[in-house]
Amino acid sequence: MPESHLLIFPTLGAMSQAAVDLFIQAAGEAVKKRGRFLAVLSGGNTPVPFFRLLAQPANRNKLPWELMYFFWADERCVPPEHLESNYGLARLKFLAYVPIPQTNLHRIKGELPVREALKDYQKQLLSFAEPGLKWPRFDFVLLGLGADGHTASLFPGMSFGEKSADPVISAKVQYQDRPAERISLTETIFNTSRLVLFLVSGEEKAEALAATRRGKMDPSRWPAQRVRPDQGKVWWYVDASAASFLSEDTNKHEMDYMR
Ligand code: 6PG
């Protein structure tokens, strides 16, 4: 069983600053132990304040940017300058304002035909591979949760098996008005990570959060249940409205109220 903790914050702002603090701590530890920090980012609305905070001098100046490498959990198949690009979002909100070498950014090339983009991303992952794996053991993986229970681009009902999946997949799923063609890492990679942080905000996520955390195991219905890094930690940072369906008898030791 992976170590998993859930913290409830009164606001998205408080949750985002706590996420930045965790990120800074993880980066410091990784660089001290292994000389570099390998992080995975997601798209969506929830991480936007987190991204913005990273670019602020008080946080930016605490990070070893030259030793930091970014990958993406998933990407919509659009060019990097497209408004729906997950890489583009991170660039717009913080990457353009921090001293990170361009060569440290390992984006999924959404502008390429899907098969080529998949191959290219597999190659980029391989060039950082942990011995015995075809991808690195990531130090920090940022994930979101959709109101339907998806995470990255692992959607309910997707047809790969319960236990194992290719490390990188393509998917065609219409969610809200976002681009349907996507490329995504799967739990095969997430589950070798050292730390996974889910950021969840808003009452429309309340049902999915409660089912993912407290419901019976049904990863086909609730794909975020697939994320269980045996040798890593999972943090759930959620705001009060997203937490509103979590039952009151939730184990106290698992839940700290941040005020
Ligand atoms: C994507 C994201 C996706 C996201 C969730 C939550 O590319 O769509 O990576 O998995 O994390 O959809 O998105 P919100 O934060 O906007 O609710």
Side-chain angles (χ1 to χ4, degrees), residues 1-7 22-23 25-26 29 33-34 137-143 189-199 213 224 226-237 254:
M1 269 292 272
E3 195 182 321
S4 169
H5 303 275
L6 184 141
L7 298 182
L22 187 67
F23 182 83
Q25 190 194 331
E29 277 173 25
K33 285 190 190 144
R34 291 175 292 281
R137 259 196 94 189
F138 285 106
D139 298 304
F140 187 99
V141 176
L142 181 72
L143 291 175
I189 291 186
F190 300 143
N191 289 349
T192 60
S193 304
R194 295 188 166 86
L195 186 157
V196 175
L197 171 63
F198 281 94
L199 288 183
R213 294 273 310 171
R226 296 179 185 277
V227 181
R228 301 160 69 79
D230 281 336
Q231 292 165 48
K233 268 189 196 167
V234 183
W235 285 97
W236 289 81
Y237 282 12
E254 246 195 326

Side-chain angles (χ1 to χ4, degrees), residues 42-46 74 76 86 144-145 150-152 178 182 205:
S42 284
N45 299 318
T46 314
D74 67 332
R76 297 97 181 247
N86 285 344
L145 183 72
H150 79 268
T151 191
R178 295 173 180 176
R182 289 147 174 267
K205 311 281 179 71

Side-chain angles (χ1 to χ4, degrees), residues 52-213:
R52 287 209 177 106
L53 283 167
L54 284 178
Q56 289 189 1
N59 298 315
R60 187 179 65 203
N61 297 341
K62 290 184 188 150
L63 285 161
W65 294 102
E66 301 242 319
L67 304 173
M68 296 167 65
Y69 298 80
F70 288 103
F71 290 75
W72 272 262
D74 67 332
E75 185 57 277
R76 297 97 181 247
C77 296
V78 293
E81 59 282 352
H82 193 285
L83 276 180
E84 295 284 353
S85 162
N86 285 344
Y87 162 78
L89 177 77
R91 189 186 53 191
L92 215 65
K93 301 300 174 194
F94 81 102
L95 289 172
Y97 309 103
V98 299
I100 188 160
Q102 194 61 30
T103 47
N104 291 15
L105 304 179
H106 294 272
R107 68 181 184 87
I108 302 172
K109 299 200 178 104
E111 70 276 28
L112 296 177
V114 176
R115 275 173 157 235
E116 279 176 45
L118 254 174
K119 276 200 175 153
D120 174 85
Y121 201 41
Q122 281 164 345
K123 241 169 118 183
Q124 296 190 62
L125 289 159
L126 191 60
S127 68
F128 281 74
E130 182 85 3
L133 299 177
K134 290 184 174 158
W135 58 88
R137 259 196 94 189
F138 285 106
D139 298 304
F140 187 99
V141 176
L142 181 72
L143 291 175
L145 183 72
D148 63 350
H150 79 268
T151 191
S153 288
L154 309 178
F155 284 86
M158 269 172 49
S159 60
F160 52 85
E162 290 291 299
K163 279 205 168 154
S164 66
D166 288 339
V168 195
I169 56 161
S170 61
K172 191 170 182 179
V173 181
Q174 193 63 54
Y175 179 73
Q176 297 173 341
D177 52 0
R178 295 173 180 176
E181 296 269 14
R182 289 147 174 267
I183 286 175
S184 184
L185 299 184
T186 70
E187 72 272 22
T188 301
I189 291 186
F190 300 143
N191 289 349
T192 60
S193 304
R194 295 188 166 86
L195 186 157
V196 175
L197 171 63
F198 281 94
L199 288 183
V200 190
S201 162
E203 76 180 301
E204 69 282 7
K205 311 281 179 71
E207 186 195 352
L209 178 64
T212 300
R213 294 273 310 171

